[in-house]
PDB file of all heavy atoms in Angstrom:
ATOM      1  N   LEU A 286      -1.643  51.418 -68.659  1.00 97.00           N
ATOM      2  CA  LEU A 286      -3.064  51.338 -68.934  1.00 97.00           C
ATOM      3  C   LEU A 286      -3.269  50.289 -70.005  1.00 97.00           C
ATOM      4  O   LEU A 286      -2.460  50.038 -70.940  1.00 97.00           O
ATOM      5  CB  LEU A 286      -3.593  52.665 -69.397  1.00 97.00           C
ATOM      6  CG  LEU A 286      -3.429  53.873 -68.522  1.00 97.00           C
ATOM      7  CD1 LEU A 286      -3.996  55.074 -69.080  1.00 97.00           C
ATOM      8  CD2 LEU A 286      -4.005  53.520 -67.071  1.00 97.00           C
ATOM      9  N   LEU A 287      -4.368  49.582 -69.900  1.00 97.00           N
ATOM     10  CA  LEU A 287      -4.769  48.592 -70.953  1.00 97.00           C
ATOM     11  C   LEU A 287      -5.252  49.261 -72.214  1.00 97.00           C
ATOM     12  O   LEU A 287      -4.861  48.827 -73.292  1.00 97.00           O
ATOM     13  CB  LEU A 287      -5.898  47.658 -70.378  1.00 97.00           C
ATOM     14  CG  LEU A 287      -5.595  46.773 -69.207  1.00 97.00           C
ATOM     15  CD1 LEU A 287      -6.761  46.069 -68.714  1.00 97.00           C
ATOM     16  CD2 LEU A 287      -4.396  45.828 -69.614  1.00 97.00           C
ATOM     17  N   TRP A 288      -6.082  50.281 -72.069  1.00 98.00           N
ATOM     18  CA  TRP A 288      -6.492  51.058 -73.215  1.00 98.00           C
ATOM     19  C   TRP A 288      -7.016  52.452 -72.753  1.00 98.00           C
ATOM     20  O   TRP A 288      -7.341  52.645 -71.611  1.00 98.00           O
ATOM     21  CB  TRP A 288      -7.583  50.361 -74.045  1.00 98.00           C
ATOM     22  CG  TRP A 288      -8.767  49.767 -73.398  1.00 98.00           C
ATOM     23  CD1 TRP A 288      -8.984  48.469 -73.137  1.00 98.00           C
ATOM     24  CD2 TRP A 288      -9.918  50.489 -72.875  1.00 98.00           C
ATOM     25  NE1 TRP A 288     -10.204  48.278 -72.555  1.00 98.00           N
ATOM     26  CE2 TRP A 288     -10.846  49.492 -72.350  1.00 98.00           C
ATOM     27  CE3 TRP A 288     -10.362  51.799 -72.849  1.00 98.00           C
ATOM     28  CZ2 TRP A 288     -12.059  49.856 -71.758  1.00 98.00           C
ATOM     29  CZ3 TRP A 288     -11.512  52.114 -72.181  1.00 98.00           C
ATOM     30  CH2 TRP A 288     -12.362  51.132 -71.768  1.00 98.00           C
ATOM     31  N   VAL A 289      -6.985  53.391 -73.724  1.00 97.00           N
ATOM     32  CA  VAL A 289      -7.558  54.670 -73.509  1.00 97.00           C
ATOM     33  C   VAL A 289      -8.612  54.999 -74.634  1.00 97.00           C
ATOM     34  O   VAL A 289      -8.222  54.929 -75.776  1.00 97.00           O
ATOM     35  CB  VAL A 289      -6.458  55.795 -73.480  1.00 97.00           C
ATOM     36  CG1 VAL A 289      -7.076  57.162 -73.292  1.00 97.00           C
ATOM     37  CG2 VAL A 289      -5.435  55.469 -72.402  1.00 97.00           C
ATOM     38  N   HIS A 290      -9.852  55.258 -74.195  1.00 97.00           N
ATOM     39  CA  HIS A 290     -10.840  55.671 -75.166  1.00 97.00           C
ATOM     40  C   HIS A 290     -10.929  57.156 -75.148  1.00 97.00           C
ATOM     41  O   HIS A 290     -11.216  57.794 -74.128  1.00 97.00           O
ATOM     42  CB  HIS A 290     -12.220  55.073 -74.709  1.00 97.00           C
ATOM     43  CG  HIS A 290     -13.281  55.589 -75.577  1.00 97.00           C
ATOM     44  ND1 HIS A 290     -13.677  55.056 -76.813  1.00 97.00           N
ATOM     45  CD2 HIS A 290     -14.238  56.583 -75.422  1.00 97.00           C
ATOM     46  CE1 HIS A 290     -14.691  55.649 -77.316  1.00 97.00           C
ATOM     47  NE2 HIS A 290     -15.068  56.582 -76.455  1.00 97.00           N
ATOM     48  N   GLU A 291     -10.625  57.806 -76.309  1.00 95.00           N
ATOM     49  CA  GLU A 291     -10.657  59.201 -76.404  1.00 95.00           C
ATOM     50  C   GLU A 291     -12.087  59.721 -76.723  1.00 95.00           C
ATOM     51  O   GLU A 291     -12.635  59.322 -77.675  1.00 95.00           O
ATOM     52  CB  GLU A 291      -9.709  59.680 -77.517  1.00 95.00           C
ATOM     53  CG  GLU A 291      -8.234  59.338 -77.274  1.00 95.00           C
ATOM     54  CD  GLU A 291      -7.559  60.159 -76.243  1.00 95.00           C
ATOM     55  OE1 GLU A 291      -8.160  61.208 -75.795  1.00 95.00           O
ATOM     56  OE2 GLU A 291      -6.425  59.902 -75.850  1.00 95.00           O
ATOM     57  N   GLY A 292     -12.548  60.589 -75.899  1.00 89.00           N
ATOM     58  CA  GLY A 292     -13.861  61.203 -76.131  1.00 89.00           C
ATOM     59  C   GLY A 292     -13.746  62.343 -77.139  1.00 89.00           C
ATOM     60  O   GLY A 292     -12.821  62.486 -77.883  1.00 89.00           O
ATOM     61  N   GLY A 293     -14.699  63.264 -77.061  1.00 88.00           N
ATOM     62  CA  GLY A 293     -14.741  64.400 -77.983  1.00 88.00           C
ATOM     63  C   GLY A 293     -14.289  65.677 -77.226  1.00 88.00           C
ATOM     64  O   GLY A 293     -13.256  65.710 -76.597  1.00 88.00           O
ATOM     65  N   GLU A 294     -15.084  66.727 -77.407  1.00 90.00           N
ATOM     66  CA  GLU A 294     -14.703  67.985 -76.841  1.00 90.00           C
ATOM     67  C   GLU A 294     -15.058  68.160 -75.373  1.00 90.00           C
ATOM     68  O   GLU A 294     -14.553  69.129 -74.730  1.00 90.00           O
ATOM     69  CB  GLU A 294     -15.434  69.095 -77.638  1.00 90.00           C
ATOM     70  CG  GLU A 294     -15.173  69.194 -79.105  1.00 90.00           C
ATOM     71  CD  GLU A 294     -15.928  70.300 -79.743  1.00 90.00           C
ATOM     72  OE1 GLU A 294     -16.252  71.298 -79.056  1.00 90.00           O
ATOM     73  OE2 GLU A 294     -16.206  70.139 -80.965  1.00 90.00           O
ATOM     74  N   PHE A 295     -15.795  67.246 -74.859  1.00 93.00           N
ATOM     75  CA  PHE A 295     -16.271  67.399 -73.423  1.00 93.00           C
ATOM     76  C   PHE A 295     -15.881  66.219 -72.594  1.00 93.00           C
ATOM     77  O   PHE A 295     -15.737  65.096 -73.136  1.00 93.00           O
ATOM     78  CB  PHE A 295     -17.840  67.571 -73.445  1.00 93.00           C
ATOM     79  CG  PHE A 295     -18.337  68.717 -74.223  1.00 93.00           C
ATOM     80  CD1 PHE A 295     -18.729  68.567 -75.605  1.00 93.00           C
ATOM     81  CD2 PHE A 295     -18.459  69.949 -73.623  1.00 93.00           C
ATOM     82  CE1 PHE A 295     -19.192  69.651 -76.287  1.00 93.00           C
ATOM     83  CE2 PHE A 295     -18.906  71.037 -74.360  1.00 93.00           C
ATOM     84  CZ  PHE A 295     -19.282  70.928 -75.644  1.00 93.00           C
ATOM     85  N   PRO A 296     -15.708  66.470 -71.234  1.00 91.00           N
ATOM     86  CA  PRO A 296     -15.204  65.349 -70.396  1.00 91.00           C
ATOM     87  C   PRO A 296     -16.327  64.376 -70.102  1.00 91.00           C
ATOM     88  O   PRO A 296     -17.531  64.767 -69.993  1.00 91.00           O
ATOM     89  CB  PRO A 296     -14.770  66.152 -69.135  1.00 91.00           C
ATOM     90  CG  PRO A 296     -15.555  67.402 -69.149  1.00 91.00           C
ATOM     91  CD  PRO A 296     -15.755  67.806 -70.631  1.00 91.00           C
ATOM     92  N   PHE A 297     -15.930  63.148 -69.879  1.00 93.00           N
ATOM     93  CA  PHE A 297     -16.775  62.226 -69.215  1.00 93.00           C
ATOM     94  C   PHE A 297     -17.012  62.616 -67.783  1.00 93.00           C
ATOM     95  O   PHE A 297     -16.001  62.882 -67.084  1.00 93.00           O
ATOM     96  CB  PHE A 297     -16.254  60.787 -69.333  1.00 93.00           C
ATOM     97  CG  PHE A 297     -16.149  60.258 -70.677  1.00 93.00           C
ATOM     98  CD1 PHE A 297     -14.952  60.091 -71.291  1.00 93.00           C
ATOM     99  CD2 PHE A 297     -17.312  59.977 -71.450  1.00 93.00           C
ATOM    100  CE1 PHE A 297     -14.820  59.579 -72.634  1.00 93.00           C
ATOM    101  CE2 PHE A 297     -17.279  59.542 -72.773  1.00 93.00           C
ATOM    102  CZ  PHE A 297     -15.980  59.326 -73.328  1.00 93.00           C
ATOM    103  N   PHE A 298     -18.249  62.680 -67.284  1.00 90.00           N
ATOM    104  CA  PHE A 298     -18.427  63.293 -65.936  1.00 90.00           C
ATOM    105  C   PHE A 298     -19.469  62.593 -65.119  1.00 90.00           C
ATOM    106  O   PHE A 298     -20.358  63.061 -64.525  1.00 90.00           O
ATOM    107  CB  PHE A 298     -18.924  64.821 -66.165  1.00 90.00           C
ATOM    108  CG  PHE A 298     -18.275  65.729 -65.119  1.00 90.00           C
ATOM    109  CD1 PHE A 298     -16.990  66.040 -65.108  1.00 90.00           C
ATOM    110  CD2 PHE A 298     -19.118  66.183 -64.111  1.00 90.00           C
ATOM    111  CE1 PHE A 298     -16.524  66.971 -64.240  1.00 90.00           C
ATOM    112  CE2 PHE A 298     -18.640  67.038 -63.136  1.00 90.00           C
ATOM    113  CZ  PHE A 298     -17.320  67.419 -63.167  1.00 90.00           C
ATOM    114  N   SER A 299     -19.288  61.210 -65.042  1.00 95.00           N
ATOM    115  CA  SER A 299     -19.970  60.464 -64.134  1.00 95.00           C
ATOM    116  C   SER A 299     -19.125  59.213 -63.787  1.00 95.00           C
ATOM    117  O   SER A 299     -18.112  58.987 -64.354  1.00 95.00           O
ATOM    118  CB  SER A 299     -21.278  59.976 -64.750  1.00 95.00           C
ATOM    119  OG  SER A 299     -21.168  58.813 -65.578  1.00 95.00           O
ATOM    120  N   ALA A 300     -19.484  58.530 -62.727  1.00 97.00           N
ATOM    121  CA  ALA A 300     -18.886  57.215 -62.462  1.00 97.00           C
ATOM    122  C   ALA A 300     -19.331  56.262 -63.565  1.00 97.00           C
ATOM    123  O   ALA A 300     -20.433  56.378 -64.078  1.00 97.00           O
ATOM    124  CB  ALA A 300     -19.336  56.742 -61.113  1.00 97.00           C
ATOM    125  N   PRO A 301     -18.476  55.355 -63.965  1.00 98.00           N
ATOM    126  CA  PRO A 301     -18.909  54.368 -64.955  1.00 98.00           C
ATOM    127  C   PRO A 301     -19.705  53.209 -64.385  1.00 98.00           C
ATOM    128  O   PRO A 301     -19.701  53.061 -63.161  1.00 98.00           O
ATOM    129  CB  PRO A 301     -17.535  53.795 -65.533  1.00 98.00           C
ATOM    130  CG  PRO A 301     -16.511  54.563 -64.800  1.00 98.00           C
ATOM    131  CD  PRO A 301     -17.103  55.209 -63.564  1.00 98.00           C
TER     132      PRO A 301
END
Side-chain angles (χ1 to χ4, degrees):
L286 302 182
L287 295 174
W288 50 255
V289 177
H290 173 83
E291 299 282 354
E294 299 179 28
F295 299 93
F297 296 111
F298 216 73
S299 81

